[in-house]
């Protein structure tokens, strides 16, 4: 009807600068007059792209506490905002392993996984041509691309801050680790190194392990309080939820925060700033930098590029729960 090629019509309807304004106008008027709509499914089939990225949460099907974790929700939201810049949508998958068929059958153009999961060897075994970026620390034995913070360095920075405020009996609430390739272990090592460099003696009584949920965190904090009579600080290395549960446990035991015990969390989730006692915490910068770099890296892979792993700069956000006088950030 327009007397031009299919590709010219396609470019005109997507406002390509390659097509003159006169031709664009004629084609648009024809499209409007005949109620022509682009068939998205057919276009995706032809381009072998459907503009969907699968975000994988490698957790158990009944792990509702993990799904309700504010950091997980903020992560998903930040990734969706970053994907929107590329006109991509997000498909959320809760499964322990990535199925290559999702990519082969064009259900998703690529994958972003939150954390290495309990079986990183499954990620190592994926075909190398599948676009994949994992949010988490970099390990030398991983063949896939990662984007994440330096957990060791940031944990050390948090504990150094407590030491600079005169705290010496610093407990840590961390996730369990059976091996040395987990975020929990890296944060624990950063904590230990800060104590060592400051010549502060370490005791196993200063360590308590917790799950993500507030019940487990409250019990672990009470364990620390019982084990260390002169406890003067808690580094809640697992999450801000753990930090808030620790503050409640301290309050019920008759300790004042931060006068008696300073508290530092991890993740900088939104509610920590507005809690009755604003929470000092480590920010993973997922909303400002992390999600953008994750998505940029994945888009490069989709375009056929090989991408190196990236370390994001995190920040210590100083608020009132540590006893420092004012709010500021250290990168």
């Amino acid at each position: 009807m327009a007397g031009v090629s299919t590709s010219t019509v396609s470019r005109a309807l997507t406002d390509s600068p390659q097509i003159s304004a006169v031709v664009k106008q004629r084609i648009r008027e024809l499209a409007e007059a005949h109620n022509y709509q682009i068939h998205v499914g057919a276009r995706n089939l032809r381009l072998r792209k459907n503009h969907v990225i699968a975000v994988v949460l490698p957790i158990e099907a009944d792990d509702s506490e993990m799904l309700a974790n504010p950091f997980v929700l903020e992560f998903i939201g930040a990734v969706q905002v970053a994907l929107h810049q590329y006109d991509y949508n997000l498909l959320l998958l809760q499964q322990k392993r990535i199925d290559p068929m999702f990519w082969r059958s064009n259900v998703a153009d690529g994958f972003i996984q939150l954390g290495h999961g309990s079986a990183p060897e499954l990620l190592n075994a994926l075909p190398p041509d599948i676009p994949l970026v994992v949010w988490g620390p970099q390990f030398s034995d991983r063949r896939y691309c990662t984007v994440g913070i330096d957990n060791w360095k940031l944990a050390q920075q948090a504990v150094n801050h407590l030491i600079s405020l005169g705290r010496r009996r610093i407990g840590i609430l961390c996730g369990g680790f059976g091996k040395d390739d987990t975020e929990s272990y890296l944060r624990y090592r950063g904590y230990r190194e800060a104590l060592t460099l400051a010549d502060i003696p370490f005791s196993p009584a200063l360590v308590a392990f917790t799950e993500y949920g507030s019940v487990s965190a409250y019990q672990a904090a009470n364990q620390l309080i019982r084990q260390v009579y002169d406890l003067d600080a808690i580094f809640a290395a697992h999450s801000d939820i753990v930090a808030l549960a620790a503050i409640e446990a301290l309050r019920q035991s008759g300790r004042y925060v931060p006068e008696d015990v300073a508290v530092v969390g991890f993740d900088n989730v939104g509610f920590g700033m507005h809690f009755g006692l604003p929470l000092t915490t480590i920010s993973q910068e997922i909303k400002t930098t992390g999600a953008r770099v994750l998505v940029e890296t994945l888009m490069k892979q989709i375009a056929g590029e090989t991408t190196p792993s990236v370390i994001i700069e995190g920040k210590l956000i100083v608020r009132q729960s540590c006893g420092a006088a004012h709010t500021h950030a250290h990168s």
Side-chain angles (χ1 to χ4, degrees):
M1 291 167 71
V4 297
S5 69
T6 305
S7 58
T8 299
V9 171
S10 178
R11 290 190 182 109
L13 293 177
T14 55
D15 203 23
S16 168
Q18 295 172 269
I19 308 301
S20 72
V22 174
V23 174
K24 278 184 196 174
Q25 181 68 21
R26 189 168 87 252
I27 289 170
R28 283 175 183 164
E29 284 174 357
L30 276 168
E32 194 171 333
H34 293 275
N35 196 28
Y36 173 77
Q37 302 290 329
I38 294 171
H39 191 299
V40 175
R43 182 187 64 183
N44 291 343
L45 192 63
R46 180 170 59 82
L47 297 174
R48 292 190 62 78
K49 282 196 177 138
N50 68 2
H51 279 253
V52 169
I53 297 300
V55 172
V56 181
L57 304 181
I59 57 181
E60 301 289 349
D62 59 352
D63 192 351
S64 57
E65 269 192 344
M66 180 67 175
L67 274 175
N69 182 324
F71 177 75
V72 174
L73 298 176
E74 289 193 358
F75 176 88
I76 294 166
V79 169
Q80 173 59 68
V81 169
L83 285 172
H84 187 66
Q85 305 300 312
Y86 294 88
D87 200 24
Y88 266 79
N89 289 311
L90 180 154
L91 171 66
L92 188 62
L93 301 178
Q94 186 186 351
Q95 54 190 37
K96 296 206 70 173
R97 61 176 296 167
I98 291 173
D99 184 353
M101 286 306 297
F102 264 86
W103 184 64
R104 302 274 180 230
S105 59
N106 290 329
V107 174
D109 296 340
F111 297 89
I112 290 172
Q113 180 163 304
L114 175 55
H116 295 267
S118 58
E121 63 275 7
L122 296 176
L123 292 174
N124 265 346
L126 286 172
D129 57 339
I130 292 182
L132 165 67
V133 186
V134 172
W135 174 262
Q138 196 174 338
F139 296 112
S140 58
D141 64 340
R142 307 296 154 85
R143 293 204 292 271
Y144 49 86
C145 178
T146 61
V147 172
I149 57 167
D150 186 333
N151 287 273
W152 184 313
K153 184 182 93 172
L154 287 164
Q156 187 179 355
Q157 189 177 358
V159 179
N160 282 340
H161 176 68
L162 289 167
I163 293 168
S164 75
L165 296 172
R167 309 292 173 157
R168 290 295 178 272
R169 295 290 280 165
I170 303 168
I172 181 171
L173 294 171
C174 58
F177 47 84
K179 43 190 182 174
D180 59 6
D181 61 352
T182 64
E183 289 181 340
S184 293
Y185 179 77
L186 293 172
R187 294 174 192 179
Y188 170 75
R189 291 306 309 171
Y191 159 83
R192 287 291 304 270
E193 185 171 42
L195 295 184
T196 300
L197 293 175
D199 288 325
I200 295 174
F202 167 76
S203 160
L206 291 165
V207 182
F209 297 102
T210 175
E211 302 294 333
Y212 271 105
S214 54
V215 174
S216 173
Y218 181 80
Q219 291 167 347
N222 273 322
Q223 181 188 331
L224 271 186
I225 293 164
R226 286 194 307 270
Q227 288 175 175
V228 188
Y229 75 93
D230 54 351
L231 184 74
D232 63 12
I234 292 178
F235 173 38
H238 208 24
S239 72
D240 284 346
I241 285 181
V242 171
L244 298 185
I247 289 172
E248 178 60 18
L250 288 163
R251 187 187 70 78
Q252 293 204 10
S253 73
R255 317 277 182 100
Y256 291 97
V257 177
E259 294 83 355
D260 300 328
V261 182
V263 176
V264 175
F266 210 107
D267 284 344
N268 191 34
V269 295
F271 60 71
M273 187 191 311
H274 308 294
F275 185 62
L277 183 69
L279 186 63
T280 296
T281 185
I282 294 290
S283 170
Q284 299 202 48
E285 295 296 278
I286 189 66
K287 288 193 280 193
T288 56
T289 313
R292 176 176 56 79
V293 174
L294 264 174
V295 171
E296 279 176 3
T297 304
L298 187 66
M299 291 301 152
K300 287 177 182 175
Q301 289 185 17
I302 289 170
E305 295 181 39
T306 301
T307 57
S309 292
V310 182
I311 296 175
I312 298 293
E313 280 293 324
K315 283 181 183 173
L316 171 66
I317 310 290
V318 179
R319 300 193 186 105
Q320 294 170 18
S321 68
C322 63
H326 58 282
T327 301
H328 57 283
H330 304 286
S331 48

